[in-house]
Amino acid sequence: MFRLVSRTVLPLRRAFSVAADELGIVDPNVLGLCSSGRVHEAFKLINSLNSPQSPATYAVLFRACAQLNLLHLGEDLHRCVLLRYPNHPPNIYMDNHLINLYAKCNSLEKAHQLFDKMPERNIVSWTSLISGYAKQGKSIECFSLFANMLTHHRPTEFAYSSVIACCGVEKGKQVHAHALKTRFVANSFVSNALIIMYSNSSELEQAWLIFTDMQFRNIVSWNSMITCLRNQGHWIEAITLFSRLRINSIQFDHTTIIGVVSALCLSSVDEIHNSLRYCFQLHCLTIKTSFDSKIEIATALVKAFSDLGCETSHFYKIFQTTNGVRDIVSWTNMISAFSEREPGKALLIFNRMRAELIPPDCFAFSAVLKACAGLVTERQSSAIHSQMMKYGFESDVTPMNALIHAYARTGSVRSAKRVFDEMNHRDTFSWNSMLKAYALQGRANEAIELFGEMNICPDGATFVALLSACNHAGMVEQGEKIFDRMSSEFGIVPHLDHFACKVDILARSGRIAEADEFISTMPMKPDSVIWKSMLGACRRYGEIGLANRAMEKLKELDPGNSLGYVVMSNMYSSVGVYGLAGKIRNEMNGLGVRKEPGLSWIEVGNEVHEFGSGGERHPEGVEIRGHARRLVRKLKDAGYRAETGICYYDLDEEQREEELLYHSEKLALVFGLMKLVGFEKMMIKINKNIGICVDCHNFMKVSSKVVDKEILIRDSNRFHHFKDGVCSCNDYW
Ligand code: ZN
Ligand code: ZN
């Protein structure tokens, strides 16, 4: 709701520095109407009078237009004055108001024309035009105008702060020096602008110096300094400054809270515990001060809680209890907060937003597509796809890239490729997303072919995609070649990810000693991912000695990870060294390291069903297990044998078989077969949180033949497409 602050003409005169007799008196009716926001009525009144009005009256009208962004109305009046009263003497006061109107309403050209035509100008004329250019970010024009003004006038604090805000740090330093000379640097307007300017460069000390030297700091100064610390990544210092503000009993505003809350998102993994505590305290403070109902603050809190890994239910409550009107930013923020952790809920929130008649923008689409990528089937991705067409986003490259990613992650490479082909403009992300789609499926030849068509510069991520495609397809020589070409031909320095891919390529193919040798030549310290792939390869090829070393490294780098213990214990028990196997299990249990539970998801109807190992939590668990036992009998007739070697050594053969049979992906498959009767052509899609085990892999292969169904499993590494008894990975994963 607009409120034109009812001011008398006196401060107007002061602000625009003009003698009173040139101004005349403001028509009281016009002033009254403008003060209550009824500007159109004021115009009608002026038009009905057949005599020229005082410059003060016109000024009030122009000012009202500027405040309400009524450019056309102001222009009409300007034209009218010129036509009806051509002999009206030019008035600097009225012209300054006009410049202000044009500058505020982004009609800079007109403002400048008027400025050029003025027979005389004062400091207000200059400042109005300078702030107009600053507002539009036209730094060159703004700076040169400021420099020109210096030969005529001493700048005001408004001129200083405008030019500082837009001219960048290099020129800003010159303005800073000038302000030091004129002592304007002591003015809080100027100092605050300088702090913000230095905060956008990396000169934190300069900003801090200005802040500490300030004699009178207002809340804007504190906010600017907090923002500055945040922008430079110093979240603890931002919080400390906020505490100082509180100790000094300075009243903060919503910008302060947003500054501090958003600083929390910068904390590193080992600082999360502390920053989450601060986040809860800040949330309490916002409730106490009633700031929590402001949508911008709720949005910042949701983002911080979500980034810090807090329970989704907690920040969902914050979002729900905001009274303010939720805008597209707050909705998108909420969708993003859920998209990875609870993708189904992210979709529901997206639909609720649409139900409240808020049209999605490209950011909302990108956020919801991130959620779609985490779902089992491409059904939701294609629903969002059609909405994007409806809203006309098919030429917007960012959400289209997100769409390729979503189709790729749900196993629909064909749809991903169709989107990719139909794009008018593609950036590196588009190409990389498509290459990753092929990599996930182990379709290395198609990836390499697409890379050959790439008509823009590849980056590091392009090569990660290519290398992992070769890796998943077992194309060792190609992978090695690509690794070498990356630096020799494209000048890209390999990073940890590239080294990890190459180690994996060598190790998986059985060249473990070579992989080990390669690790020792790496320019950086190998991370846990590299030791995990070494461990996996050692298990596969029975390299106990090297596996032991990899396990020790893994324990060091990722102490909570169970993989090393599990692999070693299994390796020892498979060669009959049960004593050592037991010792490792005990060590793992003693340290409280838990094996990540295997979970699988399948979509039946419109519902996603989750299975854990054993399937006890599913309401139809008993029936599913019965079906599984019947199925395994059929599979055994077709040649399936349970890989009991990978089980705990302290179980007997029958218990081992049973344990294997109730692995989550097998139960998901059985459930799918039970429910999808009548959908013979439909492929069964299953998502899995960790890598598929060798027994489940065999089970799926034989099942695909026995029940004559295509099965697609996405595990933590890639897709396995089972058809007619074989898997797309050729047993190489
Ligand atoms: Zn399994
Ligand atoms: Zn496979």
Side-chain angles (χ1 to χ4, degrees), residues 577-721:
V577 190
Y578 296 123
L580 272 175
K583 212 177 125 202
I584 290 170
R585 288 272 173 187
N586 289 340
E587 186 189 342
M588 174 175 147
N589 294 337
L591 290 168
V593 178
R594 296 267 166 279
K595 195 178 162 201
E596 190 182 351
L599 293 174
S600 295
W601 296 269
I602 185 167
E603 195 180 280
V604 169
N606 283 340
E607 219 182 307
V608 175
H609 293 257
E610 183 181 285
F611 289 90
S613 193
E616 280 90 1
R617 275 186 315 184
H618 196 276
E620 293 177 58
V622 179
E623 225 185 320
I624 297 166
R625 284 194 294 273
H627 263 83
R629 284 191 295 273
R630 283 193 289 283
L631 176 65
V632 80
R633 279 199 289 274
K634 276 197 229 163
L635 299 186
K636 277 182 177 167
D637 293 342
Y640 163 76
R641 291 287 165 270
E643 291 274 343
T644 48
I646 61 169
C647 288
Y648 281 149
Y649 65 92
D650 47 0
L651 301 176
D652 65 32
E653 190 65 16
E654 202 175 313
Q655 284 171 317
R656 289 183 188 199
E657 279 197 22
E658 187 167 292
E659 192 202 89
L660 287 175
L661 182 57
Y662 300 150
H663 276 187
S664 62
E665 57 269 58
K666 292 196 188 90
L667 298 175
L669 171 74
V670 170
F671 184 68
L673 293 173
M674 277 161 62
K675 298 290 168 182
L676 298 172
V677 179
F679 297 93
E680 264 64 44
K681 289 250 165 65
M682 209 159 139
M683 182 192 272
I684 291 187
K685 288 189 172 184
I686 296 168
N687 276 9
K688 170 110 213 257
N689 63 336
I690 53 177
I692 185 172
C693 79
V694 63
D695 184 64
C696 288
H697 200 266
N698 287 342
F699 188 95
M700 297 296 161
K701 277 199 293 187
V702 184
S703 298
S704 68
K705 194 176 171 119
V706 169
V707 298
D708 190 22
K709 252 203 181 309
E710 285 181 50
I711 305 164
L712 188 71
I713 296 193
R714 178 175 108 198
D715 72 1
S716 54
N717 296 319
R718 59 166 296 154
F719 278 99
H720 297 268
H721 187 176

